[in-house]
Amino acid sequence: MDPKNFTVAVHGGAEIEPVTGAVMTPIFQTSTFAQKAPGEHAGYDYSRGGNPTRTAHEAALAAIEGAKWGLAFASGLGAEQAIVQTLDPGAEVLVCDDVYGGTGRLFRKLWAKYGLTFHFVDMNNDAEVEKVLSPRIKMIWVETPTNPTMKVIDIAKMAEKAKKVGAILVVDNTFSSPFFQHPLKWGADIVVHSTTKYIGGHSDLIGGAVMTNKQELYEQIKFIQFAAGCVPSPFESFLLLRSIKTLAVRMIHHERNAIAVAEFLEHHPKVKSVYYPGLKSHPQHILAKKQMSGFSGMLSFDLRGTYEDVIKFLPKLKIFCLAESLGGVESLVNHPERMTHASVPPELRKKLGIGPTLLRLSVGIESMDDLIEDLNQAL
Ligand code: P1T
């Protein structure tokens, strides 16, 4: 989506319903569709394979990523699982070391036992990447900005490396949302989202998405979606269609508030460091400005002191709610070490800087002054 194009967000995938003229796609709450004769139907036979509400949702997903195809899944991890299932046994995958804890768990604890090998590397360290890069690598998995330390990874550079060894480049675009970043434009083959987050935007559903311009990948993943059945319900598809219409306006407010919060925290004496790609002090700020059209609403920071200070700080917050997840209109605070990233091996957590004083904020769209005041009084 052209970041200035609110029209795509509002109209992407929308078609007037042909029978009734309904302007908004109805919820086709049905598992099955009548057939005139065996195998003769109007394009839908069973809702695992396809459902008109999901079709409209998938068209909207494609539209906002500027992709030819979009596929909807029942969760972000369900979408990731389908992508991994395109690999042949024995394949090796290069993964950025700072991925969502659940992504790492899916790879380490589930897929590794089926003969796939996952190499977790710091993708901002060329030597680390080159050490593992070889034609055995069939997939490169990038999350940018990363969860939770907000590293920014150069998508175009990783696309070149993927091309060199004949690997597929997957980019998890959840933190940026399609409003601020288009990985396909920078050479990614597949974009994956947890639509639970910014695309859903209201913390009331779980969903996932895959977008691609490559027909072969689309067909493979569509088959997996149908054959393995990790699909969203018609109601979830409807909610997501509804959410996408306000993605652009929400993202502008998330970003505006996050910039203000990041600047406030950076100058607060009780805060040791702030990790936000929109700050000039961020090590990849220039890269972020190049590859993103905005910096989104996620940031992390280290509180000065110890875990005991964190434990005193958290209950004092009145607006920021202590909870996992992100990207909803309401502000959340998360403690990655004990919550979202508890499953990351301790030595890797240490290397990444996911320690006892690290907190992650999903900055919502409340009044900016209220958010800053909330943090200020709690600090
Ligand atoms: O929760 P689910 O919809 O299955 O999505 C998984 C997922 C994938 N990718 C990224 C970057 C994510 O952040 C997530 C989920 N993350 C959280 C729940 C969290 O609080 O970080």
Side-chain angles (χ1 to χ4, degrees), residues 74-80 98-103 141 143-148 172-175 192-197 205-208 298 323-326 332 334 339-341 360:
S75 69
L77 287 179
E80 295 185 9
D98 188 33
V99 281
Y100 164 56
T103 301
W141 192 285
E143 196 180 290
T144 182
T146 65
N147 180 1
D172 186 330
N173 199 22
T174 300
F175 264 39
V192 61
H193 280 276
S194 166
T195 55
T196 313
K197 311 297 180 321
L205 58 86
I206 300 282
M298 295 301 298
E324 303 209 2
S325 204
L326 58 112
L332 300 179
N334 162 54
M339 294 165 64
T340 49
H341 292 70
R360 188 190 75 184

Side-chain angles (χ1 to χ4, degrees), residues 78-339:
E80 295 185 9
Q81 160 110 333
I83 295 168
V84 174
Q85 282 175 312
T86 62
L87 293 168
D88 290 327
E92 297 190 18
V93 183
L94 197 60
V95 188
C96 64
D97 53 9
D98 188 33
V99 281
Y100 164 56
T103 301
R105 182 174 54 215
L106 176 73
F107 295 166
R108 285 189 192 92
K109 296 260 169 81
L110 204 77
W111 281 106
K113 73 178 180 189
Y114 292 98
L116 299 177
T117 306
F118 297 90
H119 304 276
F120 292 82
V121 298
D122 177 358
M123 290 192 179
N124 287 328
N125 180 336
D126 228 34
E128 258 193 58
V129 175
E130 288 299 329
K131 212 166 120 189
V132 192
L133 197 69
S134 82
R136 288 200 309 276
I137 301 289
K138 300 299 177 204
M139 186 173 276
I140 298 185
W141 192 285
V142 171
E143 196 180 290
T144 182
T146 65
N147 180 1
T149 65
M150 307 301 302
K151 290 197 275 193
V152 177
I153 296 164
D154 192 329
I155 301 171
K157 194 163 142 192
M158 295 316 294
E160 255 175 55
K161 290 185 191 293
K163 220 176 187 176
K164 201 169 91 186
V165 297
I168 282 165
L169 178 65
V170 181
V171 176
D172 186 330
N173 199 22
T174 300
F175 264 39
S176 219
S177 93
F179 188 67
F180 287 127
Q181 179 169 270
H182 288 128
L184 297 176
K185 189 179 98 182
W186 297 107
D189 299 296
I190 295 175
V191 172
V192 61
H193 280 276
S194 166
T195 55
T196 313
K197 311 297 180 321
Y198 285 116
I199 294 179
H202 297 75
S203 304
D204 54 6
L205 58 86
I206 300 282
V210 169
M211 293 85 150
T212 184
N213 284 327
K214 301 245 158 99
Q215 185 161 2
E216 196 189 330
L217 287 171
Y218 164 69
E219 282 169 6
Q220 256 181 303
I221 298 169
K222 186 170 172 55
F223 174 76
I224 294 164
Q225 180 201 43
F226 162 68
C230 185
V231 292
S233 69
F235 183 58
E236 244 80 25
S237 299
F238 167 81
L239 286 177
L240 282 154
L241 258 176
R242 194 180 202 270
S243 294
I244 286 169
K245 293 182 192 298
T246 57
L247 179 67
V249 283
R250 285 186 282 108
M251 292 317 297
I252 286 167
H253 283 266
H254 281 297
E255 189 204 27
R256 204 167 64 181
N257 283 351
I259 290 173
V261 166
E263 284 173 354
F264 162 76
L265 290 173
E266 198 174 38
H267 293 109
H268 199 285
K270 293 203 174 147
V271 173
K272 202 162 99 192
S273 316
V274 182
Y275 314 98
Y276 182 62
L279 290 176
K280 285 202 181 75
S281 58
H282 188 283
Q284 294 96 35
H285 177 62
I286 291 170
L287 169 63
K289 278 212 305 205
K290 182 192 111 187
Q291 107 183 348
M292 302 165 77
S293 61
F295 306 107
S296 207
M298 295 301 298
L299 63 95
S300 296
F301 67 100
D302 265 303
L303 213 60
R304 272 192 206 287
T306 62
Y307 182 63
E308 280 59 49
D309 296 304
V310 168
I311 285 305
K312 277 189 228 152
F313 166 73
L314 288 172
K316 294 205 173 102
L317 290 166
K318 296 188 176 91
I319 298 176
F320 285 85
C321 172
L322 180 66
E324 303 209 2
S325 204
L326 58 112
V329 289
E330 74 296 333
S331 292
L332 300 179
V333 57
N334 162 54
H335 186 266
E337 187 195 43
R338 300 212 173 201
M339 294 165 64

